[in-house]
Amino acid sequence: MKTVKKSFNILFIVLFIILAVYAISLFVLLGWGIIKSLQSEMDFILQGGKAWSMPQDWTIDNYLIAFESIKYTIPLDLGGGDVYFDEMLLNSVIYAGVCTLLTVFCDCSVAYLTTKINNKFNRVINFIVYFKMLIPLYGTMPANIKLLTNLGVMDSFMGMFLMTFCFGGTNFLLFQAAFKSLSNDYIEAAIIDGASQFSIMFKICFPLIRTTIGVLFITLFVTRWNDYMTPLIYLRKNPTAAYGLHYLDQKGNTSYHSYIVNKIAGFYIFIIPTLLIFLFAKDKLMGNLTVGGVKG
Amino acid sequence: MKEKNELTAMKPRKKERGFNSLRREQNIFYWIMIVLPLIQFVMFYIYVNLDSFLLAFEEYNPISNKFDFVYFKNFQYIFEDFSRPTGAIRKAFNNSVLAFGLGLLMQPLNVLIPYYVTKKGVGSEFFKVLLFLPSILSSMVLGLLYKYMVDAVIPGIALEYFNKEIMPPLYNFDSRFMTAWIFGAWFGIGGNILVMTGAMSQVPVSCVEAAHIDGCSATREFFAITFPLIYPTWVTLFIVGLVGMFTGGPDLYLFFGETSDSVQTLGYYINVKTLTSIAYASYPEVSAIGLCVTLITTPILMFVRWFLNRLDPNQEN
């Protein structure tokens, strides 16, 4: 009998080479960034901005300077003023944290209602979810901006909160699957016990699917933390760190030498929270997800 | 047994509440909880899409600060631009199709790499973490590091050690699109790793073992067992990719901001037009392009979905 290992053939050798090149390229990129972030700005300039040379003068000052040198100037038509990196990080926490909380709560509660409470309107909700997924509608950004402007919440956190309190998409379907797999016995027992509908949902059912809630919260939080495009369009008065770093790269300093080592240090400060989340929740995040099913 | 007795003992309390009262309580709770998400849906989906549809037939009047109905003028502009070889929308459309076409070349890797990880190839756990890492570490940070590296390190090394002058690849008009695309494709090969490995791990072990007893190689196993069984998952992911055919592509805004010029894709064109619009001037054009893209994409999506389902190797005749 041939074992699986013996049957590894040329395909696996080729894939191993590709993955090894991928790993090396990722390490080179991140390693180069770390080295540059530890090079003093003066040393970098004295070396003529040679990006490939090793630093003569190592320092961690760039990480401290990043908080002062990375700044975003709010356009005058939006009120003006400077926003520094620490404030941007705080904005990131608010944007990623609160928006994710709202989306997860909305997805989770609507998924609960459509799976655990028998109501004719559930069909409409399910239709809406599938319609949104199957018929993609493009170019609605101007209409969104118009609506937020008319509501007086454009470029504010409130506008983002309103936009993200929505249901649908893959997360909604994953919540529905989690609630479907939850036995109705818990709910029936709670009803017999005299529990209110509110208690059944919040105190019984939500805790029972806390792993799903946790994983989807973290995944969405990380996505929003890293997202620079949405704040660029809808949150110009409260720039997040991702938006601020991108802005700095594009408009802050046109010269390649200007603050490049500080900027790179800023990148590494920016990825610390998500890296910590990854380290603590690696097993949960890397757990298997299934979409579309497998033929058996 | 004890639990059952306790439940039986509690039953009268259910009767006290009554079925109708319970039903009423459930209905009230249902509507209280669903009303806000529904209002949000009406405002930010129905109203926004209707307004976007109307915008496609309007033109912004800066004097009155209102939109005037102009029938098909925006579409006429789009088609005129499209008919010119140098038209910006035409170029953006072509680049979007090119990016999607190049993305198709990556499809084999997107399936084979999860297979390697699932079959526990050498270092598979280590590679799995590395493949997932770009999703955690922010593609923006990796992208900007990549930008500094390819534009500073490569030309610098070429000049220093090979005495050859190379234009920074992201500045060079001939290479900037491919350089940006390579970043997205290369560091995105692990994008679906979790979903694909999840699907592959569900392939029945007995089926694989039987194949091995018959002397099936790993390559044969992939084509004869694994891929046919995970076909529905692959189709789902392919369709999701197809949805972003015109609006996805390389993250040009990350590398070029608002100045990507001739290498722009349709998604980039829409974003930049909206961001750089003076007041609402460009909004009708963006909405009209969006409507055109929806009208083109929807039948393509339907057809590809139907076609791929017909190709399903598991389909019973």
Side-chain angles (χ1 to χ4, degrees):
Chain A
M1 177 187 147
K2 277 191 177 181
T3 62
V4 182
K5 287 209 169 177
K6 275 181 187 170
S7 66
F8 280 3
N9 54 12
I10 190 80
L11 176 71
F12 278 73
I13 295 167
V14 171
L15 288 173
F16 176 78
I17 292 167
I18 291 170
L19 285 168
V21 173
Y22 171 86
I24 291 166
S25 63
L26 193 62
F27 282 128
V28 165
L29 197 60
L30 291 171
W32 175 80
I34 289 172
I35 290 169
K36 284 293 137 189
S37 74
L38 293 170
Q39 181 174 21
S40 77
E41 198 179 342
M42 190 51 74
D43 182 31
F44 185 73
I45 292 167
L46 286 174
Q47 287 190 14
K50 282 181 183 174
W52 65 96
S53 60
M54 287 302 279
Q56 303 290 317
D57 183 17
W58 296 81
T59 178
I60 57 159
D61 287 352
N62 295 323
Y63 286 86
L64 306 171
I65 295 167
F67 285 96
E68 294 161 20
S69 64
I70 296 176
K71 77 171 181 186
Y72 167 80
T73 306
I74 299 170
L76 282 174
D77 59 318
L78 293 172
D82 291 334
V83 180
Y84 286 90
F85 195 47
D86 49 352
E87 203 180 326
M88 289 180 203
L89 287 170
L90 182 68
N91 287 340
S92 284
V93 172
I94 298 170
Y95 166 66
V98 181
C99 291
T100 304
L101 203 65
L102 288 168
T103 310
V104 168
F105 175 75
C106 191
D107 270 333
C108 192
S109 51
V110 177
Y112 169 82
L113 296 173
T114 52
T115 48
K116 293 298 175 193
I117 294 182
N118 192 16
N119 193 303
K120 283 179 184 169
F121 198 70
N122 287 345
R123 279 186 187 178
V124 179
I125 300 287
N126 286 329
F127 173 77
I128 288 169
V129 171
Y130 284 103
F131 182 83
K132 278 166 81 174
M133 287 181 85
L134 291 173
I135 313 286
L137 300 166
Y138 302 95
T140 56
M141 201 197 301
N144 251 325
I145 294 172
K146 260 182 74 190
L147 175 63
L148 291 174
T149 309
N150 291 340
L151 291 172
V153 289
M154 183 62 191
D155 290 315
S156 73
F157 281 121
M158 186 48 75
M160 285 313 307
F161 297 161
L162 286 174
M163 273 179 71
T164 50
F165 187 70
C166 59
F167 62 93
T170 319
N171 283 3
F172 177 83
L173 297 180
L174 289 169
F175 277 126
Q176 268 197 334
F179 282 122
K180 276 178 188 164
S181 67
L182 199 68
S183 169
N184 284 334
D185 293 351
Y186 296 108
I187 297 172
E188 283 165 15
I191 290 169
I192 292 166
D193 226 4
S196 67
Q197 292 297 320
F198 187 84
S199 299
I200 294 169
M201 185 167 106
F202 287 101
K203 291 183 179 169
I204 297 168
C205 291
F206 278 15
L208 283 170
I209 63 149
R210 60 182 176 276
T211 310
T212 309
I213 294 175
V215 170
L216 294 181
F217 179 87
I218 291 170
T219 312
L220 198 54
F221 178 89
V222 169
T223 307
R224 290 224 166 102
W225 179 269
N226 294 334
D227 175 25
Y228 72 92
M229 205 56 177
T230 312
L232 175 80
I233 298 163
Y234 299 107
L235 218 52
R236 288 175 302 162
K237 270 197 277 190
N238 304 94
T240 59
Y243 170 26
L245 287 169
H246 181 261
Y247 172 86
L248 190 73
D249 175 68
Q250 291 295 326
K251 292 177 181 167
N253 300 287
T254 46
S255 162
Y256 168 71
H257 298 85
S258 309
Y259 305 112
I260 187 166
V261 287
N262 306 144
K263 276 193 264 186
I264 295 175
F267 294 162
Y268 285 93
I269 295 171
F270 172 71
I271 62 174
I272 288 172
T274 49
L275 202 58
L276 287 175
I277 288 171
F278 179 67
L279 289 175
F280 285 112
K282 186 171 84 65
D283 294 336
K284 293 263 188 267
L285 284 172
M286 302 278 292
N288 288 335
L289 287 171
T290 44
V291 175
V294 171
K295 296 273 180 180
Chain B
M1 192 66 190
K2 191 188 168 192
E3 203 178 285
K4 197 177 176 184
N5 286 340
E6 277 177 4
L7 287 177
T8 319
M10 282 178 217
K11 257 193 173 170
R13 290 177 69 176
K14 187 185 175 185
K15 276 186 186 168
E16 277 169 26
R17 283 170 95 180
F19 181 77
N20 285 338
S21 135
L22 180 69
R23 192 93 193 102
R24 194 163 54 245
E25 191 188 314
Q26 274 187 338
N27 274 334
I28 292 168
F29 177 74
Y30 184 93
W31 288 108
I32 287 174
M33 289 305 296
I34 216 156
V35 71
L36 283 177
L38 274 183
I39 291 172
Q40 202 277 352
F41 171 75
V42 170
M43 282 174 71
F44 286 90
Y45 191 82
I46 295 179
Y47 173 78
V48 161
N49 280 303
L50 280 176
D51 193 34
S52 184
F53 180 80
L54 290 175
L55 262 178
F57 300 91
E58 292 173 336
E59 187 179 59
Y60 179 65
N61 185 338
I63 298 162
S64 64
N65 195 28
K66 283 182 180 168
F67 289 90
D68 300 327
F69 196 73
V70 290
Y71 296 95
F72 291 94
K73 191 179 170 186
N74 295 318
F75 295 96
Q76 193 184 342
Y77 169 76
I78 292 167
F79 291 126
E80 276 174 10
D81 180 288
F82 209 80
S83 61
R84 286 197 309 271
T86 53
I89 300 170
R90 181 181 171 136
K91 275 187 179 174
F93 180 86
N94 289 344
N95 284 335
S96 292
V97 174
L98 174 67
F100 182 76
L102 289 169
L104 289 179
L105 299 176
M106 299 300 287
Q107 280 298 316
L109 272 186
N110 290 340
V111 187
L112 287 168
I113 285 175
Y115 178 65
Y116 180 89
V117 172
T118 313
K119 299 309 289 181
K120 310 271 181 225
V122 181
S124 57
E125 280 303 311
F126 170 71
F127 288 134
K128 190 179 176 184
V129 173
L130 286 190
L131 288 164
F132 188 63
L133 215 52
S135 317
I136 293 289
L137 291 182
S138 163
S139 61
M140 185 204 71
V141 166
L142 282 180
L144 292 180
L145 286 174
Y146 173 82
K147 176 183 169 180
Y148 295 150
M149 251 196 112
V150 296
D151 274 0
V153 178
I154 295 171
I157 289 174
L159 187 65
E160 181 105 349
Y161 300 106
F162 302 98
N163 204 23
K164 199 174 176 184
E165 268 193 51
I166 295 178
M167 208 174 168
L170 283 167
Y171 277 87
N172 187 344
F173 276 93
D174 296 331
S175 61
R176 61 188 342 199
F177 184 80
M178 278 310 288
T179 312
W181 180 83
I182 286 168
F183 168 76
W186 184 241
F187 290 106
I189 54 173
N192 292 324
I193 185 87
L194 296 184
V195 176
M196 291 302 273
T197 52
M200 286 176 185
S201 65
Q202 287 184 15
V203 171
V205 180
S206 57
C207 190
V208 177
E209 280 175 353
H212 286 154
I213 290 167
D214 289 343
C216 180
S217 70
T219 313
R220 181 87 195 276
E221 181 194 323
F222 174 77
F223 288 107
I225 301 170
T226 309
F227 188 68
L229 289 176
I230 61 137
Y231 187 78
T233 305
W234 178 78
V235 168
T236 307
L237 294 175
F238 187 81
I239 296 290
V240 169
L242 198 62
V243 168
M245 177 165 73
F246 293 114
T247 51
D251 192 350
L252 299 173
Y253 201 89
L254 175 64
F255 296 115
F256 312 115
E258 289 155 9
T259 56
S260 94
D261 301 321
S262 60
V263 297
Q264 60 196 349
T265 57
L266 218 46
Y268 173 87
Y269 183 85
I270 286 174
N271 282 346
V272 171
K273 269 278 171 186
T274 310
L275 284 168
T276 56
S277 173
I278 297 164
Y280 294 138
S282 300
Y283 287 12
E285 184 198 335
V286 171
S287 294
I289 293 172
L291 192 59
C292 290
V293 172
T294 303
L295 291 174
I296 295 169
T297 313
T298 306
I300 292 175
L301 270 177
M302 298 289 178
F303 172 75
V304 172
R305 195 182 163 82
W306 168 83
F307 181 71
L308 290 176
N309 284 334
R310 271 185 67 90
L311 288 182
D312 189 344
N314 306 284
Q315 206 175 39
E316 287 168 19
N317 293 319

